[in-house]
Amino acid sequence: MMKKIGFLVPHLQDGGLARVLQMLTLGLSNQYEVYVILLLGNRPINMPIKGNVIKLCEEGNGFFGKAITFLKRIKLVKKLKKDYDFDIVFSFGPSANSVNILTKSSEIVIISEHNVPSIEHKIQGTSGKVYESMMYLYKYADLIVAVSEHIRDDLVENYHLDKKKISVIYNGLDIDYINMLSEKSVDI
């Protein structure tokens, strides 16, 4: 019987997180029963992935709407973790990481950080302050994946996280995709 892995991600619309998740689902689907849990269930999926997709809820508007949506996500993810009995849940981004940690049960919780938090949170205003406070939950994860040594060092120096709990894994490259793009003409 294959182990179950859940990927908790904001969306699969575009961007680096979605691309990394796409490569992970394609690479791990032969070894794991893969589930992708989308926090923003109302957004279109622009990345082909391999696995089961579970859409949660729409975005909230304004501070209170977002707070209520966050609490709904916690309730929904806690239920999903119980119903699906995941072996591992791997999350991407501060909001997904916080939900993953706050709903921890018997599964292994792996969170990932793709930005330098101390810089990112300073330029985001009020939402940056909210994300800044979420960083203090990170110590409750079983493993933290940083996509560079600089991000790992920022997590250790500015948020006092245990360096032993942080693994540096650089974003992968899809060589076939790059080769395909290299054959296309570029309009200048």
Side-chain angles (χ1 to χ4, degrees), residues 113-175:
E113 189 58 59
H114 295 254
N115 297 304
V116 180
S118 65
I119 295 172
E120 187 77 14
H121 299 154
K122 286 179 185 170
I123 60 174
Q124 289 182 342
T126 303
S127 63
K129 288 181 173 86
V130 172
Y131 285 131
E132 181 86 14
S133 65
M134 290 179 178
M135 296 300 298
Y136 295 99
L137 294 172
Y138 280 29
K139 65 184 173 187
Y140 298 107
D142 294 306
L143 177 68
I144 302 167
V145 174
V147 298
S148 74
E149 291 176 11
H150 182 66
I151 292 172
R152 179 202 55 209
D153 294 344
D154 186 62
L155 292 169
V156 171
E157 291 168 20
N158 293 306
Y159 301 99
H160 312 291
L161 296 172
D162 185 354
K163 192 174 184 176
K164 293 177 200 151
K165 281 180 85 168
I166 304 171
S167 292
V168 175
I169 303 175
Y170 296 95
N171 285 334
L173 299 173
D174 185 344
I175 300 301

Side-chain angles (χ1 to χ4, degrees), residues 3-176:
K3 288 189 173 192
K4 293 181 185 178
I5 186 167
F7 290 104
L8 189 58
V9 64
H11 59 79
L12 286 175
Q13 219 167 346
D14 52 21
L17 290 179
R19 178 72 63 198
V20 169
L21 180 62
Q22 177 191 37
M23 288 190 296
L24 283 171
T25 62
L26 295 174
L28 294 174
S29 61
N30 293 331
Q31 300 159 336
Y32 290 90
E33 191 175 330
V34 174
Y35 293 84
V36 177
I37 305 161
L38 301 175
L39 293 179
L40 303 172
N42 59 329
R43 294 219 183 150
I45 298 173
N46 295 339
M47 297 277 179
I49 55 123
K50 200 165 186 181
N52 305 291
V53 176
I54 302 169
K55 296 180 176 186
L56 290 187
C57 52
E58 295 182 10
E59 293 178 74
N61 293 319
F63 180 78
F64 291 110
K66 289 180 181 187
I68 290 168
T69 300
F70 185 73
L71 295 173
K72 278 185 198 175
R73 289 177 183 155
I74 290 171
K75 183 178 178 183
L76 292 168
V77 171
K78 192 167 199 64
K79 183 176 180 345
L80 284 173
K81 286 182 174 186
K82 183 180 178 188
D83 292 348
Y84 286 88
D85 193 28
F86 295 112
D87 296 287
I88 301 167
V89 177
F90 192 126
S91 53
F92 295 81
S95 185
N97 289 341
S98 298
V99 170
N100 196 11
I101 293 165
L102 290 169
T103 58
K104 183 172 175 31
S105 183
S106 60
E107 78 284 357
I108 296 169
V109 168
I110 303 172
I111 64 172
S112 62
E113 189 58 59
H114 295 254
N115 297 304
V116 180
S118 65
I119 295 172
E120 187 77 14
H121 299 154
K122 286 179 185 170
I123 60 174
Q124 289 182 342
T126 303
S127 63
K129 288 181 173 86
V130 172
Y131 285 131
E132 181 86 14
S133 65
M134 290 179 178
M135 296 300 298
Y136 295 99
L137 294 172
Y138 280 29
K139 65 184 173 187
Y140 298 107
D142 294 306
L143 177 68
I144 302 167
V145 174
V147 298
S148 74
E149 291 176 11
H150 182 66
I151 292 172
R152 179 202 55 209
D153 294 344
D154 186 62
L155 292 169
V156 171
E157 291 168 20
N158 293 306
Y159 301 99
H160 312 291
L161 296 172
D162 185 354
K163 192 174 184 176
K164 293 177 200 151
K165 281 180 85 168
I166 304 171
S167 292
V168 175
I169 303 175
Y170 296 95
N171 285 334
L173 299 173
D174 185 344
I175 300 301
D176 294 333

